Amino acid sequence: MDASKIAEGIWDSVKGIPKSFYYGVKRTYISSGALGFERRIRNDQENERFYRVIKSLVQNEEPLRRLITIVIIEFYNKLDEQGKQVVHDQIGYGTGRLAGRVGAQILTSQVVAASIVKFARCSKVWKTLYRFGTSFTISAGLWQGFIEEAALASRRMQHHYPHIYWKVQPQGLDMIYFLVEDQLQPYLEFITSHPEMCKRINHEICKLAG
């Protein structure tokens, strides 16, 4: 076997290791206390917060809906009037059918949340977590891997979107952000953008709506 084939075999093996498995090994190592007591305490706290919110999530989707709704309401409030109108039209609710500004805000957030939750339910991570929550059958390594993914996403939210982070963190919702991070990121970018950038984004949304 030549060098290129050996290299390909090694790389395919390394490439095939699930990210969650790597995260699990990393987190288990940190939890051992090898990198210091503070890191271990942080991990223990994250473990408890993750377990608590996942247990609730398995029983119903309300925690995830609550997280998404908080973000979408912030997004909606930052849209200009034209932007709000095109969003209303797209989701099928004319302004005449909405019970004022608050009604429009709530209905918009609920429609978008339902769409994102439906997408999340189809993901492999969701299905694995659901199996964990109902039967505790997944391995400890994979369990730790999911916690690490959740913790890393939580820290990204805290760093990039602190305003939203401190709204959702007291409820533990930052620990399920990783399930919908890709879907929520454009909304979060809009929410945290400078007003001039928001104007341009509003304009582009209206252009896309035709």
Side-chain angles (χ1 to χ4, degrees):
M1 185 180 292
D2 62 26
S4 63
K5 291 294 182 184
I6 294 171
E8 284 177 15
I10 293 170
W11 181 243
D12 285 345
S13 173
V14 171
K15 188 173 64 174
I17 297 173
K19 185 187 291 185
S20 56
F21 182 79
Y22 158 74
Y23 282 152
V25 172
K26 173 187 170 186
R27 192 170 187 86
T28 300
Y29 179 67
I30 293 172
S31 294
S32 72
L35 296 183
F37 186 67
E38 288 185 6
R39 296 282 294 276
R40 179 179 178 178
I41 290 297
R42 184 192 68 183
N43 273 19
D44 289 344
Q45 292 171 340
E46 288 169 344
N47 289 354
E48 178 59 30
R49 293 175 61 237
F50 180 83
Y51 175 74
R52 196 161 51 238
V53 74
I54 287 298
K55 186 176 180 181
S56 177
L57 185 64
V58 168
Q59 293 170 355
N60 62 71
E61 297 161 357
E62 181 55 30
L64 193 60
R65 288 182 185 276
R66 200 157 63 243
L67 168 64
I68 298 167
T69 298
I70 289 168
V71 173
I72 300 305
I73 286 176
E74 291 277 336
F75 155 75
Y76 181 89
N77 288 339
K78 212 167 180 183
L79 283 171
D80 62 20
E81 291 306 315
Q82 189 178 8
K84 288 183 173 75
Q85 185 61 57
V86 299
V87 169
H88 297 165
D89 292 342
Q90 180 61 33
I91 65 175
Y93 293 99
T95 51
R97 297 175 60 187
L98 293 168
R101 186 179 299 273
V102 174
Q105 178 192 80
I106 292 172
L107 282 170
T108 298
S109 66
Q110 291 301 309
V111 170
V112 176
S115 175
I116 295 177
V117 168
K118 182 179 180 181
F119 179 88
R121 274 203 311 261
C122 297
S123 71
K124 185 176 180 181
V125 172
W126 177 284
K127 291 174 182 176
T128 305
L129 285 172
Y130 184 83
R131 189 169 72 248
F132 163 75
T134 55
S135 64
F136 297 89
T137 56
I138 67 174
S139 70
L142 190 54
W143 150 246
Q144 287 295 315
F146 282 137
I147 299 176
E148 183 67 5
E149 285 192 64
L152 290 173
S154 169
R155 290 172 215 154
R156 285 193 294 272
M157 177 189 272
Q158 183 178 13
H159 178 72
H160 295 292
Y161 317 113
H163 169 66
I164 296 295
Y165 173 82
W166 289 114
K167 279 198 165 191
V168 303
Q169 191 271 350
Q171 304 173 63
L173 303 180
D174 58 304
M175 295 302 287
I176 52 174
Y177 169 60
F178 79 111
L179 291 170
V180 289
E181 183 174 10
D182 290 344
Q183 289 71 44
L184 289 184
Q185 192 169 10
Y187 296 99
L188 291 167
E189 286 293 322
F190 177 79
I191 290 165
T192 55
S193 291
H194 186 276
E196 286 302 317
M197 175 61 76
C198 287
K199 285 182 182 178
R200 293 200 290 272
I201 297 170
N202 264 294
H203 180 66
E204 290 301 318
I205 292 172
C206 293
K207 279 173 60 179
L208 289 169

PDB file of all heavy atoms in Angstrom, residues 148-180:
ATOM      1  N   GLU A 148     -21.285  19.688  25.628  1.00  0.00           N
ATOM      2  CA  GLU A 148     -20.215  20.588  25.190  1.00  0.00           C
ATOM      3  C   GLU A 148     -20.668  21.426  23.994  1.00  0.00           C
ATOM      4  O   GLU A 148     -20.387  22.625  23.921  1.00  0.00           O
ATOM      5  CB  GLU A 148     -18.960  19.783  24.835  1.00  0.00           C
ATOM      6  CG  GLU A 148     -17.762  20.626  24.442  1.00  0.00           C
ATOM      7  CD  GLU A 148     -17.186  21.457  25.587  1.00  0.00           C
ATOM      8  OE1 GLU A 148     -17.638  21.326  26.738  1.00  0.00           O
ATOM      9  OE2 GLU A 148     -16.273  22.252  25.310  1.00  0.00           O
ATOM     10  N   GLU A 149     -21.382  20.806  23.040  1.00  0.00           N
ATOM     11  CA  GLU A 149     -21.916  21.571  21.908  1.00  0.00           C
ATOM     12  C   GLU A 149     -22.839  22.672  22.404  1.00  0.00           C
ATOM     13  O   GLU A 149     -22.795  23.807  21.932  1.00  0.00           O
ATOM     14  CB  GLU A 149     -22.678  20.655  20.953  1.00  0.00           C
ATOM     15  CG  GLU A 149     -21.804  19.779  20.083  1.00  0.00           C
ATOM     16  CD  GLU A 149     -22.603  19.116  18.975  1.00  0.00           C
ATOM     17  OE1 GLU A 149     -23.131  19.840  18.112  1.00  0.00           O
ATOM     18  OE2 GLU A 149     -22.706  17.877  18.983  1.00  0.00           O
ATOM     19  N   ALA A 150     -23.700  22.323  23.357  1.00  0.00           N
ATOM     20  CA  ALA A 150     -24.639  23.296  23.911  1.00  0.00           C
ATOM     21  C   ALA A 150     -23.890  24.420  24.622  1.00  0.00           C
ATOM     22  O   ALA A 150     -24.231  25.601  24.478  1.00  0.00           O
ATOM     23  CB  ALA A 150     -25.593  22.602  24.881  1.00  0.00           C
ATOM     24  N   ALA A 151     -22.866  24.057  25.398  1.00  0.00           N
ATOM     25  CA  ALA A 151     -22.111  25.050  26.163  1.00  0.00           C
ATOM     26  C   ALA A 151     -21.345  25.992  25.241  1.00  0.00           C
ATOM     27  O   ALA A 151     -21.301  27.212  25.471  1.00  0.00           O
ATOM     28  CB  ALA A 151     -21.149  24.349  27.116  1.00  0.00           C
ATOM     29  N   LEU A 152     -20.750  25.457  24.186  1.00  0.00           N
ATOM     30  CA  LEU A 152     -20.008  26.292  23.244  1.00  0.00           C
ATOM     31  C   LEU A 152     -20.934  27.269  22.533  1.00  0.00           C
ATOM     32  O   LEU A 152     -20.599  28.444  22.342  1.00  0.00           O
ATOM     33  CB  LEU A 152     -19.275  25.417  22.222  1.00  0.00           C
ATOM     34  CG  LEU A 152     -18.098  24.604  22.758  1.00  0.00           C
ATOM     35  CD1 LEU A 152     -17.576  23.655  21.694  1.00  0.00           C
ATOM     36  CD2 LEU A 152     -16.979  25.530  23.229  1.00  0.00           C
ATOM     37  N   ALA A 153     -22.112  26.782  22.137  1.00  0.00           N
ATOM     38  CA  ALA A 153     -23.084  27.661  21.478  1.00  0.00           C
ATOM     39  C   ALA A 153     -23.558  28.745  22.444  1.00  0.00           C
ATOM     40  O   ALA A 153     -23.724  29.906  22.057  1.00  0.00           O
ATOM     41  CB  ALA A 153     -24.271  26.853  20.957  1.00  0.00           C
ATOM     42  N   SER A 154     -23.767  28.363  23.704  1.00  0.00           N
ATOM     43  CA  SER A 154     -24.170  29.338  24.720  1.00  0.00           C
ATOM     44  C   SER A 154     -23.123  30.431  24.865  1.00  0.00           C
ATOM     45  O   SER A 154     -23.451  31.629  24.940  1.00  0.00           O
ATOM     46  CB  SER A 154     -24.381  28.629  26.065  1.00  0.00           C
ATOM     47  OG  SER A 154     -24.527  29.564  27.114  1.00  0.00           O
ATOM     48  N   ARG A 155     -21.860  30.043  24.885  1.00  0.00           N
ATOM     49  CA  ARG A 155     -20.790  31.036  25.023  1.00  0.00           C
ATOM     50  C   ARG A 155     -20.691  31.927  23.789  1.00  0.00           C
ATOM     51  O   ARG A 155     -20.386  33.117  23.893  1.00  0.00           O
ATOM     52  CB  ARG A 155     -19.461  30.336  25.287  1.00  0.00           C
ATOM     53  CG  ARG A 155     -19.391  29.696  26.666  1.00  0.00           C
ATOM     54  CD  ARG A 155     -18.152  28.843  26.837  1.00  0.00           C
ATOM     55  NE  ARG A 155     -18.451  27.685  27.676  1.00  0.00           N
ATOM     56  CZ  ARG A 155     -17.795  26.544  27.624  1.00  0.00           C
ATOM     57  NH1 ARG A 155     -16.786  26.384  26.768  1.00  0.00           N
ATOM     58  NH2 ARG A 155     -18.129  25.537  28.415  1.00  0.00           N
ATOM     59  N   ARG A 156     -20.945  31.345  22.604  1.00  0.00           N
ATOM     60  CA  ARG A 156     -20.961  32.171  21.391  1.00  0.00           C
ATOM     61  C   ARG A 156     -22.075  33.210  21.472  1.00  0.00           C
ATOM     62  O   ARG A 156     -21.884  34.372  21.092  1.00  0.00           O
ATOM     63  CB  ARG A 156     -21.138  31.299  20.144  1.00  0.00           C
ATOM     64  CG  ARG A 156     -19.901  30.523  19.748  1.00  0.00           C
ATOM     65  CD  ARG A 156     -20.019  29.932  18.369  1.00  0.00           C
ATOM     66  NE  ARG A 156     -21.045  28.903  18.261  1.00  0.00           N
ATOM     67  CZ  ARG A 156     -20.839  27.615  18.507  1.00  0.00           C
ATOM     68  NH1 ARG A 156     -19.643  27.195  18.900  1.00  0.00           N
ATOM     69  NH2 ARG A 156     -21.812  26.731  18.362  1.00  0.00           N
ATOM     70  N   MET A 157     -23.232  32.775  21.948  1.00  0.00           N
ATOM     71  CA  MET A 157     -24.339  33.719  22.097  1.00  0.00           C
ATOM     72  C   MET A 157     -23.973  34.824  23.082  1.00  0.00           C
ATOM     73  O   MET A 157     -24.225  36.005  22.833  1.00  0.00           O
ATOM     74  CB  MET A 157     -25.606  32.998  22.567  1.00  0.00           C
ATOM     75  CG  MET A 157     -26.777  33.949  22.805  1.00  0.00           C
ATOM     76  SD  MET A 157     -28.200  33.165  23.590  1.00  0.00           S
ATOM     77  CE  MET A 157     -29.074  32.560  22.163  1.00  0.00           C
ATOM     78  N   GLN A 158     -23.372  34.444  24.203  1.00  0.00           N
ATOM     79  CA  GLN A 158     -22.993  35.439  25.206  1.00  0.00           C
ATOM     80  C   GLN A 158     -21.999  36.442  24.637  1.00  0.00           C
ATOM     81  O   GLN A 158     -22.077  37.646  24.925  1.00  0.00           O
ATOM     82  CB  GLN A 158     -22.389  34.747  26.431  1.00  0.00           C
ATOM     83  CG  GLN A 158     -22.041  35.728  27.553  1.00  0.00           C
ATOM     84  CD  GLN A 158     -21.492  35.030  28.785  1.00  0.00           C
ATOM     85  OE1 GLN A 158     -21.136  33.853  28.740  1.00  0.00           O
ATOM     86  NE2 GLN A 158     -21.418  35.750  29.887  1.00  0.00           N
ATOM     87  N   HIS A 159     -21.068  35.964  23.825  1.00  0.00           N
ATOM     88  CA  HIS A 159     -20.031  36.830  23.268  1.00  0.00           C
ATOM     89  C   HIS A 159     -20.578  37.743  22.165  1.00  0.00           C
ATOM     90  O   HIS A 159     -20.293  38.951  22.157  1.00  0.00           O
ATOM     91  CB  HIS A 159     -18.893  35.974  22.708  1.00  0.00           C
ATOM     92  CG  HIS A 159     -17.803  36.781  22.069  1.00  0.00           C
ATOM     93  ND1 HIS A 159     -16.910  37.539  22.796  1.00  0.00           N
ATOM     94  CD2 HIS A 159     -17.469  36.966  20.752  1.00  0.00           C
ATOM     95  CE1 HIS A 159     -16.073  38.148  21.970  1.00  0.00           C
ATOM     96  NE2 HIS A 159     -16.391  37.826  20.731  1.00  0.00           N
ATOM     97  N   HIS A 160     -21.361  37.168  21.246  1.00  0.00           N
ATOM     98  CA  HIS A 160     -21.803  37.927  20.072  1.00  0.00           C
ATOM     99  C   HIS A 160     -23.138  38.649  20.276  1.00  0.00           C
ATOM    100  O   HIS A 160     -23.367  39.705  19.682  1.00  0.00           O
ATOM    101  CB  HIS A 160     -21.921  36.996  18.867  1.00  0.00           C
ATOM    102  CG  HIS A 160     -20.612  36.416  18.423  1.00  0.00           C
ATOM    103  ND1 HIS A 160     -19.601  37.176  17.866  1.00  0.00           N
ATOM    104  CD2 HIS A 160     -20.141  35.134  18.466  1.00  0.00           C
ATOM    105  CE1 HIS A 160     -18.572  36.403  17.576  1.00  0.00           C
ATOM    106  NE2 HIS A 160     -18.867  35.158  17.933  1.00  0.00           N
ATOM    107  N   TYR A 161     -24.013  38.052  21.090  1.00  0.00           N
ATOM    108  CA  TYR A 161     -25.355  38.621  21.256  1.00  0.00           C
ATOM    109  C   TYR A 161     -25.719  38.709  22.744  1.00  0.00           C
ATOM    110  O   TYR A 161     -26.676  38.081  23.204  1.00  0.00           O
ATOM    111  CB  TYR A 161     -26.389  37.756  20.514  1.00  0.00           C
ATOM    112  CG  TYR A 161     -25.940  37.300  19.143  1.00  0.00           C
ATOM    113  CD1 TYR A 161     -25.694  35.945  18.887  1.00  0.00           C
ATOM    114  CD2 TYR A 161     -25.749  38.210  18.113  1.00  0.00           C
ATOM    115  CE1 TYR A 161     -25.277  35.524  17.637  1.00  0.00           C
ATOM    116  CE2 TYR A 161     -25.327  37.799  16.862  1.00  0.00           C
ATOM    117  CZ  TYR A 161     -25.093  36.450  16.624  1.00  0.00           C
ATOM    118  OH  TYR A 161     -24.677  36.040  15.388  1.00  0.00           O
ATOM    119  N   PRO A 162     -24.941  39.458  23.522  1.00  0.00           N
ATOM    120  CA  PRO A 162     -25.146  39.479  24.982  1.00  0.00           C
ATOM    121  C   PRO A 162     -26.542  39.947  25.399  1.00  0.00           C
ATOM    122  O   PRO A 162     -27.069  39.482  26.415  1.00  0.00           O
ATOM    123  CB  PRO A 162     -24.055  40.436  25.481  1.00  0.00           C
ATOM    124  CG  PRO A 162     -23.648  41.244  24.290  1.00  0.00           C
ATOM    125  CD  PRO A 162     -23.827  40.330  23.115  1.00  0.00           C
ATOM    126  N   HIS A 163     -27.123  40.873  24.632  1.00  0.00           N
ATOM    127  CA  HIS A 163     -28.459  41.378  24.982  1.00  0.00           C
ATOM    128  C   HIS A 163     -29.476  40.241  25.014  1.00  0.00           C
ATOM    129  O   HIS A 163     -30.268  40.122  25.955  1.00  0.00           O
ATOM    130  CB  HIS A 163     -28.887  42.439  23.963  1.00  0.00           C
ATOM    131  CG  HIS A 163     -30.318  42.848  24.066  1.00  0.00           C
ATOM    132  ND1 HIS A 163     -30.820  43.518  25.161  1.00  0.00           N
ATOM    133  CD2 HIS A 163     -31.376  42.659  23.225  1.00  0.00           C
ATOM    134  CE1 HIS A 163     -32.108  43.741  24.988  1.00  0.00           C
ATOM    135  NE2 HIS A 163     -32.478  43.220  23.828  1.00  0.00           N
ATOM    136  N   ILE A 164     -29.448  39.381  24.004  1.00  0.00           N
ATOM    137  CA  ILE A 164     -30.363  38.236  23.949  1.00  0.00           C
ATOM    138  C   ILE A 164     -29.952  37.180  24.971  1.00  0.00           C
ATOM    139  O   ILE A 164     -30.797  36.572  25.639  1.00  0.00           O
ATOM    140  CB  ILE A 164     -30.394  37.630  22.536  1.00  0.00           C
ATOM    141  CG1 ILE A 164     -30.964  38.636  21.535  1.00  0.00           C
ATOM    142  CG2 ILE A 164     -31.209  36.337  22.511  1.00  0.00           C
ATOM    143  CD1 ILE A 164     -32.414  38.994  21.782  1.00  0.00           C
ATOM    144  N   TYR A 165     -28.655  36.961  25.103  1.00  0.00           N
ATOM    145  CA  TYR A 165     -28.164  35.940  26.043  1.00  0.00           C
ATOM    146  C   TYR A 165     -28.715  36.179  27.443  1.00  0.00           C
ATOM    147  O   TYR A 165     -29.211  35.247  28.083  1.00  0.00           O
ATOM    148  CB  TYR A 165     -26.630  35.957  26.073  1.00  0.00           C
ATOM    149  CG  TYR A 165     -26.042  35.050  27.137  1.00  0.00           C
ATOM    150  CD1 TYR A 165     -25.902  33.689  26.913  1.00  0.00           C
ATOM    151  CD2 TYR A 165     -25.655  35.568  28.376  1.00  0.00           C
ATOM    152  CE1 TYR A 165     -25.381  32.852  27.894  1.00  0.00           C
ATOM    153  CE2 TYR A 165     -25.134  34.742  29.352  1.00  0.00           C
ATOM    154  CZ  TYR A 165     -25.000  33.382  29.108  1.00  0.00           C
ATOM    155  OH  TYR A 165     -24.491  32.563  30.085  1.00  0.00           O
ATOM    156  N   TRP A 166     -28.658  37.421  27.907  1.00  0.00           N
ATOM    157  CA  TRP A 166     -29.095  37.692  29.281  1.00  0.00           C
ATOM    158  C   TRP A 166     -30.613  37.685  29.411  1.00  0.00           C
ATOM    159  O   TRP A 166     -31.133  37.634  30.529  1.00  0.00           O
ATOM    160  CB  TRP A 166     -28.503  39.005  29.780  1.00  0.00           C
ATOM    161  CG  TRP A 166     -27.023  38.866  30.024  1.00  0.00           C
ATOM    162  CD1 TRP A 166     -26.022  39.479  29.348  1.00  0.00           C
ATOM    163  CD2 TRP A 166     -26.400  38.013  30.987  1.00  0.00           C
ATOM    164  NE1 TRP A 166     -24.793  39.064  29.826  1.00  0.00           N
ATOM    165  CE2 TRP A 166     -24.997  38.163  30.833  1.00  0.00           C
ATOM    166  CE3 TRP A 166     -26.877  37.133  31.964  1.00  0.00           C
ATOM    167  CZ2 TRP A 166     -24.083  37.482  31.625  1.00  0.00           C
ATOM    168  CZ3 TRP A 166     -25.952  36.448  32.744  1.00  0.00           C
ATOM    169  CH2 TRP A 166     -24.587  36.624  32.578  1.00  0.00           C
ATOM    170  N   LYS A 167     -31.315  37.680  28.294  1.00  0.00           N
ATOM    171  CA  LYS A 167     -32.767  37.500  28.340  1.00  0.00           C
ATOM    172  C   LYS A 167     -33.142  36.029  28.487  1.00  0.00           C
ATOM    173  O   LYS A 167     -34.131  35.696  29.122  1.00  0.00           O
ATOM    174  CB  LYS A 167     -33.412  38.050  27.054  1.00  0.00           C
ATOM    175  CG  LYS A 167     -33.598  39.552  27.056  1.00  0.00           C
ATOM    176  CD  LYS A 167     -34.603  39.966  25.994  1.00  0.00           C
ATOM    177  CE  LYS A 167     -35.054  41.394  26.239  1.00  0.00           C
ATOM    178  NZ  LYS A 167     -36.211  41.767  25.408  1.00  0.00           N
ATOM    179  N   VAL A 168     -32.356  35.147  27.855  1.00  0.00           N
ATOM    180  CA  VAL A 168     -32.729  33.731  27.836  1.00  0.00           C
ATOM    181  C   VAL A 168     -31.975  32.887  28.860  1.00  0.00           C
ATOM    182  O   VAL A 168     -32.446  31.820  29.254  1.00  0.00           O
ATOM    183  CB  VAL A 168     -32.525  33.132  26.414  1.00  0.00           C
ATOM    184  CG1 VAL A 168     -33.317  33.916  25.387  1.00  0.00           C
ATOM    185  CG2 VAL A 168     -31.045  33.080  26.010  1.00  0.00           C
ATOM    186  N   GLN A 169     -30.806  33.359  29.307  1.00  0.00           N
ATOM    187  CA  GLN A 169     -29.972  32.552  30.205  1.00  0.00           C
ATOM    188  C   GLN A 169     -30.648  32.212  31.526  1.00  0.00           C
ATOM    189  O   GLN A 169     -30.521  31.070  32.005  1.00  0.00           O
ATOM    190  CB  GLN A 169     -28.638  33.279  30.434  1.00  0.00           C
ATOM    191  CG  GLN A 169     -27.581  32.428  31.125  1.00  0.00           C
ATOM    192  CD  GLN A 169     -27.656  32.538  32.645  1.00  0.00           C
ATOM    193  OE1 GLN A 169     -28.366  33.384  33.193  1.00  0.00           O
ATOM    194  NE2 GLN A 169     -26.912  31.676  33.329  1.00  0.00           N
ATOM    195  N   PRO A 170     -31.379  33.144  32.179  1.00  0.00           N
ATOM    196  CA  PRO A 170     -32.005  32.788  33.460  1.00  0.00           C
ATOM    197  C   PRO A 170     -32.980  31.621  33.360  1.00  0.00           C
ATOM    198  O   PRO A 170     -33.225  30.929  34.348  1.00  0.00           O
ATOM    199  CB  PRO A 170     -32.733  34.084  33.856  1.00  0.00           C
ATOM    200  CG  PRO A 170     -31.951  35.173  33.184  1.00  0.00           C
ATOM    201  CD  PRO A 170     -31.541  34.580  31.875  1.00  0.00           C
ATOM    202  N   GLN A 171     -33.528  31.384  32.175  1.00  0.00           N
ATOM    203  CA  GLN A 171     -34.455  30.269  31.971  1.00  0.00           C
ATOM    204  C   GLN A 171     -33.743  29.010  31.464  1.00  0.00           C
ATOM    205  O   GLN A 171     -34.386  27.997  31.217  1.00  0.00           O
ATOM    206  CB  GLN A 171     -35.538  30.667  30.972  1.00  0.00           C
ATOM    207  CG  GLN A 171     -36.313  31.916  31.351  1.00  0.00           C
ATOM    208  CD  GLN A 171     -37.243  32.356  30.240  1.00  0.00           C
ATOM    209  OE1 GLN A 171     -38.169  31.632  29.862  1.00  0.00           O
ATOM    210  NE2 GLN A 171     -37.009  33.539  29.699  1.00  0.00           N
ATOM    211  N   GLY A 172     -32.425  29.098  31.280  1.00  0.00           N
ATOM    212  CA  GLY A 172     -31.663  27.962  30.771  1.00  0.00           C
ATOM    213  C   GLY A 172     -31.801  27.757  29.274  1.00  0.00           C
ATOM    214  O   GLY A 172     -31.297  26.765  28.735  1.00  0.00           O
ATOM    215  N   LEU A 173     -32.444  28.704  28.584  1.00  0.00           N
ATOM    216  CA  LEU A 173     -32.711  28.518  27.159  1.00  0.00           C
ATOM    217  C   LEU A 173     -31.459  28.640  26.302  1.00  0.00           C
ATOM    218  O   LEU A 173     -31.445  28.169  25.154  1.00  0.00           O
ATOM    219  CB  LEU A 173     -33.767  29.538  26.685  1.00  0.00           C
ATOM    220  CG  LEU A 173     -35.109  29.497  27.430  1.00  0.00           C
ATOM    221  CD1 LEU A 173     -36.049  30.556  26.875  1.00  0.00           C
ATOM    222  CD2 LEU A 173     -35.742  28.114  27.331  1.00  0.00           C
ATOM    223  N   ASP A 174     -30.411  29.260  26.834  1.00  0.00           N
ATOM    224  CA  ASP A 174     -29.151  29.333  26.097  1.00  0.00           C
ATOM    225  C   ASP A 174     -28.562  27.947  25.857  1.00  0.00           C
ATOM    226  O   ASP A 174     -27.804  27.741  24.910  1.00  0.00           O
ATOM    227  CB  ASP A 174     -28.138  30.192  26.846  1.00  0.00           C
ATOM    228  CG  ASP A 174     -27.862  29.666  28.252  1.00  0.00           C
ATOM    229  OD1 ASP A 174     -28.832  29.522  29.034  1.00  0.00           O
ATOM    230  OD2 ASP A 174     -26.676  29.386  28.565  1.00  0.00           O
ATOM    231  N   MET A 175     -28.949  26.953  26.699  1.00  0.00           N
ATOM    232  CA  MET A 175     -28.394  25.604  26.574  1.00  0.00           C
ATOM    233  C   MET A 175     -29.091  24.775  25.494  1.00  0.00           C
ATOM    234  O   MET A 175     -28.664  23.650  25.211  1.00  0.00           O
ATOM    235  CB  MET A 175     -28.453  24.877  27.917  1.00  0.00           C
ATOM    236  CG  MET A 175     -27.576  25.503  29.001  1.00  0.00           C
ATOM    237  SD  MET A 175     -25.818  25.601  28.554  1.00  0.00           S
ATOM    238  CE  MET A 175     -25.329  23.871  28.692  1.00  0.00           C
ATOM    239  N   ILE A 176     -30.150  25.309  24.885  1.00  0.00           N
ATOM    240  CA  ILE A 176     -30.743  24.621  23.723  1.00  0.00           C
ATOM    241  C   ILE A 176     -30.603  25.466  22.462  1.00  0.00           C
ATOM    242  O   ILE A 176     -31.101  25.091  21.401  1.00  0.00           O
ATOM    243  CB  ILE A 176     -32.221  24.250  23.959  1.00  0.00           C
ATOM    244  CG1 ILE A 176     -33.039  25.449  24.413  1.00  0.00           C
ATOM    245  CG2 ILE A 176     -32.328  23.096  24.953  1.00  0.00           C
ATOM    246  CD1 ILE A 176     -34.530  25.160  24.517  1.00  0.00           C
ATOM    247  N   TYR A 177     -29.898  26.573  22.572  1.00  0.00           N
ATOM    248  CA  TYR A 177     -29.651  27.438  21.413  1.00  0.00           C
ATOM    249  C   TYR A 177     -28.954  26.674  20.291  1.00  0.00           C
ATOM    250  O   TYR A 177     -29.219  26.895  19.109  1.00  0.00           O
ATOM    251  CB  TYR A 177     -28.821  28.635  21.870  1.00  0.00           C
ATOM    252  CG  TYR A 177     -28.257  29.498  20.777  1.00  0.00           C
ATOM    253  CD1 TYR A 177     -29.082  30.143  19.856  1.00  0.00           C
ATOM    254  CD2 TYR A 177     -26.877  29.701  20.668  1.00  0.00           C
ATOM    255  CE1 TYR A 177     -28.544  30.959  18.856  1.00  0.00           C
ATOM    256  CE2 TYR A 177     -26.334  30.512  19.692  1.00  0.00           C
ATOM    257  CZ  TYR A 177     -27.173  31.139  18.787  1.00  0.00           C
ATOM    258  OH  TYR A 177     -26.640  31.936  17.801  1.00  0.00           O
ATOM    259  N   PHE A 178     -28.075  25.729  20.648  1.00  0.00           N
ATOM    260  CA  PHE A 178     -27.313  25.000  19.632  1.00  0.00           C
ATOM    261  C   PHE A 178     -28.209  24.228  18.670  1.00  0.00           C
ATOM    262  O   PHE A 178     -27.821  23.952  17.536  1.00  0.00           O
ATOM    263  CB  PHE A 178     -26.285  24.063  20.284  1.00  0.00           C
ATOM    264  CG  PHE A 178     -26.832  22.757  20.809  1.00  0.00           C
ATOM    265  CD1 PHE A 178     -26.509  21.564  20.208  1.00  0.00           C
ATOM    266  CD2 PHE A 178     -27.655  22.726  21.931  1.00  0.00           C
ATOM    267  CE1 PHE A 178     -26.994  20.358  20.697  1.00  0.00           C
ATOM    268  CE2 PHE A 178     -28.138  21.543  22.432  1.00  0.00           C
ATOM    269  CZ  PHE A 178     -27.817  20.343  21.816  1.00  0.00           C
ATOM    270  N   LEU A 179     -29.417  23.895  19.111  1.00  0.00           N
ATOM    271  CA  LEU A 179     -30.346  23.153  18.247  1.00  0.00           C
ATOM    272  C   LEU A 179     -30.842  23.988  17.070  1.00  0.00           C
ATOM    273  O   LEU A 179     -31.210  23.445  16.033  1.00  0.00           O
ATOM    274  CB  LEU A 179     -31.551  22.668  19.058  1.00  0.00           C
ATOM    275  CG  LEU A 179     -31.292  21.575  20.093  1.00  0.00           C
ATOM    276  CD1 LEU A 179     -32.518  21.391  20.974  1.00  0.00           C
ATOM    277  CD2 LEU A 179     -30.919  20.264  19.405  1.00  0.00           C
ATOM    278  N   VAL A 180     -30.868  25.320  17.252  1.00  0.00           N
ATOM    279  CA  VAL A 180     -31.413  26.198  16.211  1.00  0.00           C
ATOM    280  C   VAL A 180     -30.478  27.369  15.924  1.00  0.00           C
ATOM    281  O   VAL A 180     -30.901  28.406  15.411  1.00  0.00           O
ATOM    282  CB  VAL A 180     -32.812  26.730  16.616  1.00  0.00           C
ATOM    283  CG1 VAL A 180     -33.845  25.620  16.562  1.00  0.00           C
ATOM    284  CG2 VAL A 180     -32.792  27.351  18.012  1.00  0.00           C
TER     285      VAL A 180
END
